[in-house]
Amino acid sequence: MKRITDIDEGTIRRIDWQTLVPPTILFRAFSRTFKPTFLFLGSVLAALCATSTGFRPYSGTLELCGDVWLPYDSEFASLLTYCFPYFTPFQITRDGEGPLLFWQGALIGLVVAAWFALAFSRSTVVRLTSSARSSTLASSLFALKKFRSLILPGLLPLGALFALWVCAFAALKLGALGQIAAPLFAGAFLLLGALFLITALAFPFAVTAIATENSDCFDATSRGISYVTQRFLFLIMYAFFSAILTCVGFVVVELLAELSLVLYESAYGAVLDGRWVMFWRMTLILLPIVYACCSCVVYANAIYIALRRSVDGTPYDSCVLDLQGRKPRQLSQILHDVKGAPVVAGTEDAPSSESDESKE
């Protein structure tokens, strides 16, 4: 048998694992979840939102920490507080604020979180798909400019949820007529529930579409819904691996946050009730939660890129918006020579338009 030889000797070959095995993009995205500037910015914004809605760091004894989130007499709670005394849920409590203030702060927090997700998506996708960089400031300004495109993708799942509530309210208030029309209400519940699920899953992809494609609200919504419905099994598989990587990163950040809290409380033990001391302590406490949210944003970006390649066949390096602000290329003007044959403008044989007019 003739020996196989390399006809292109000296050519460096490599295996493109990202193209061959698309889920490997999730491992590339793992390092992007630890971006310090966005983690710090997200922790500060989360601390501001939490303190404005009545949450504060818990300053009591550890024996009472179980009374905040877990039953006081729970042995499991006692074991957790003993093993992980600085675990995030044991460090947060809430004052008795009015519900109006809580919902106002929660609404403002959702708006800020949407803007933060768009800015973080902008920075993440640029690094995942190209060698360029988008700074925190540039990404934040981009998110402010394109934030209105998030209104429609964000309102769709809220609208489906409100329609579900209206159907349930109508079924209860119609009495006997509502009981007779129970099959119709059941079908409406299934339809609206599926619509809510699809639009809720499509929202993160709509955010990524805006960050990468400079899409408007309608194009971003259609892209998100298309990728969710056409590759739902792929989405489930990618989400499974993303959840595992998120748990790994969360454990790392949680351990670092607990160590930082130990050092922080040892340094400010005498003034832990100070206003600013409590605020910066709140940022350390919320850091693992912020990391989990940032991780969801990063992996949503990575899954969007993988699904877009699967659905549209778009290469990874073509999924990023042009950062240099160049205008798109336009087709060259086609002129005609003396004999009427078409000639592309800019070539040596192409006559100018003025000479054509003079000849005519």
Side-chain angles (χ1 to χ4, degrees):
M1 184 176 182
K2 185 177 181 181
R3 186 169 61 92
I4 298 177
T5 59
D6 189 356
I7 59 176
D8 295 328
E9 296 182 0
T11 302
I12 300 177
R13 286 179 169 82
R14 64 182 179 87
I15 299 176
D16 190 356
W17 291 107
Q18 187 167 297
T19 303
L20 185 63
V21 186
T24 54
I25 193 174
L26 301 177
F27 296 97
R28 285 191 57 207
F30 181 73
S31 61
R32 301 303 306 164
T33 60
F34 295 96
K35 189 172 179 60
T37 54
F38 277 100
L39 288 178
F40 174 76
L41 179 60
S43 298
V44 172
L45 293 176
L48 287 173
C49 182
T51 52
S52 64
T53 52
F55 291 94
R56 61 178 177 82
Y58 192 81
S59 58
T61 57
L62 292 179
E63 287 78 6
L64 297 178
C65 289
D67 190 44
V68 179
W69 294 100
L70 298 173
Y72 173 72
D73 56 350
S74 173
E75 296 181 358
F76 180 68
S78 301
L79 179 62
L80 285 179
T81 53
Y82 177 78
C83 297
F84 306 99
Y86 290 94
F87 188 53
T88 297
F90 304 150
Q91 298 293 318
I92 302 176
T93 186
R94 185 172 181 268
D95 297 326
E97 299 290 341
L100 181 61
L101 178 62
F102 175 80
W103 289 112
Q104 287 178 347
L107 181 61
I108 295 174
L110 286 176
V111 174
V112 174
W115 166 82
F116 180 81
L118 182 57
F120 195 28
S121 298
R122 171 68 171 177
S123 176
T124 301
V125 175
V126 170
R127 291 297 297 153
L128 287 178
T129 57
S130 68
S131 59
R133 294 178 182 272
S134 180
S135 64
T136 303
L137 179 60
S139 300
S140 301
L141 294 176
F142 175 85
L144 286 175
K145 181 180 178 181
K146 299 294 297 182
F147 182 78
R148 61 182 180 181
S149 298
L150 283 177
I151 296 177
L152 179 61
L155 289 180
L156 284 179
L158 295 179
L161 192 62
F162 178 74
L164 276 173
W165 179 83
V166 170
C167 285
F169 182 79
L172 291 175
K173 294 299 181 180
L174 288 178
L177 182 59
Q179 296 178 7
I180 295 175
L184 296 178
F185 283 107
F189 290 150
L190 290 176
L191 180 62
L192 292 174
L195 180 62
F196 170 74
L197 178 63
I198 293 174
T199 53
L201 292 176
F203 177 74
F205 297 151
V207 174
T208 309
I210 296 172
T212 57
E213 315 287 345
N214 201 11
S215 303
D216 57 8
C217 56
F218 299 102
D219 183 58
T221 303
S222 63
R223 284 180 180 273
I225 294 176
S226 175
Y227 297 156
V228 169
T229 54
Q230 295 189 39
R231 294 294 187 272
F232 185 74
L233 294 180
F234 284 88
L235 173 61
I236 296 299
M237 181 185 66
Y238 294 153
F240 174 76
F241 289 111
S242 300
I244 295 176
L245 294 175
T246 301
C247 291
V248 173
F250 180 84
V251 171
V252 174
V253 175
E254 179 66 41
L255 293 177
L256 293 176
E258 291 190 13
L259 178 60
S260 301
L261 281 173
V262 172
L263 299 176
Y264 188 84
E265 293 187 359
S266 63
Y268 294 96
V271 289
L272 278 179
D273 293 334
R275 183 176 180 180
W276 286 105
V277 174
M278 291 183 65
F279 175 78
W280 292 115
R281 183 186 174 199
M282 192 71 168
T283 60
L284 287 176
I285 293 172
L286 294 176
L287 183 60
I289 298 177
V290 171
Y291 170 80
C293 297
C294 291
S295 179
C296 292
V297 173
V298 172
Y299 290 123
N301 301 152
I303 293 173
Y304 172 89
I305 297 171
L307 291 180
R308 187 184 176 195
R309 182 181 181 277
S310 177
V311 175
D312 300 335
T314 305
Y316 291 118
D317 55 358
S318 300
C319 294
V320 63
L321 186 66
D322 187 6
L323 298 178
Q324 299 179 1
R326 294 174 297 185
K327 296 181 179 180
R329 293 182 178 180
Q330 298 180 354
L331 295 176
S332 302
Q333 184 181 3
I334 299 179
L335 304 177
H336 298 276
D337 58 8
V338 181
K339 297 181 180 180
V343 180
V344 179
T347 58
E348 298 179 356
D349 299 334
S352 61
S353 58
E354 298 180 357
S355 60
D356 290 345
E357 293 178 356
S358 61
K359 291 180 180 179
E360 290 178 359

